[in-house]
Amino acid sequence: MVDGYFFEDDLHCRSELTVAADNMFLGEGGCVAEEGLLEHVAQTSAAHIGHIRKMEGQSVTLGYIGDIKRAVFTPPMPAAGDTLHTKLTVVSQVGNVTLVSAETSVDARVVLTCRMKLANENEGDAR
């Protein structure tokens, strides 16, 4: 759910995804379902957290969505062929829990804003 990941610094990154015609999150009317946009944000977050862990010499562990808040979807939803552009900001990091703020747009039109809390397994917990 991420075609391109662009590291800016420890707190910021950007990503892109061009929606394929066979994307599993295409729903009614050939548009991306809300869950698909949230999954794109989760995968962007995973890429960023994993990238930071690698830069710090740590292993990349499994992660989970712990909570989603303030999700605002603005129709029309993206369709196959559209490119999602996401800006992600790390709001806080406490232990293995990261809170991010995200904004996803298509052609400079915001389609999603949200906050997402993600939890990563501790290094010793990795399977």
Side-chain angles (χ1 to χ4, degrees):
M1 290 294 292
V2 173
D3 292 336
Y5 166 76
F6 310 97
F7 176 79
E8 294 179 0
D9 58 38
D10 288 356
L11 300 178
H12 304 90
C13 74
R14 294 175 294 111
S15 73
E16 293 179 350
L17 171 69
T18 299
V19 180
D22 63 349
N23 186 291
M24 68 184 287
F25 290 103
L26 285 182
E28 198 172 306
C31 293
V32 176
E34 292 174 352
E35 297 85 358
L37 292 178
L38 292 170
E39 182 63 23
H40 169 66
V41 169
Q43 293 297 320
T44 298
S45 301
H48 189 63
I49 293 166
H51 181 77
I52 298 294
R53 290 182 66 94
K54 284 294 215 182
M55 287 187 347
E56 293 173 348
Q58 299 176 26
S59 63
V60 176
T61 58
L62 292 176
Y64 306 93
I65 298 172
D67 193 21
I68 299 169
K69 298 260 188 204
R70 303 181 193 167
V72 177
F73 300 92
T74 306
M77 299 301 273
D82 286 341
T83 300
L84 310 178
H85 299 274
T86 296
K87 298 179 202 173
L88 187 93
T89 300
V90 175
V91 175
S92 66
Q93 171 82 43
V94 178
N96 67 336
V97 177
T98 305
L99 175 63
V100 300
S101 176
E103 178 183 278
T104 300
S105 60
V106 174
D107 296 328
R109 184 181 59 79
V110 175
V111 294
L112 168 65
T113 58
C114 71
R115 286 204 170 196
M116 188 176 288
K117 190 180 295 182
L118 302 116
N120 280 53
E121 290 183 333
N122 292 323
E123 210 160 327
D125 295 339
R127 295 181 179 99

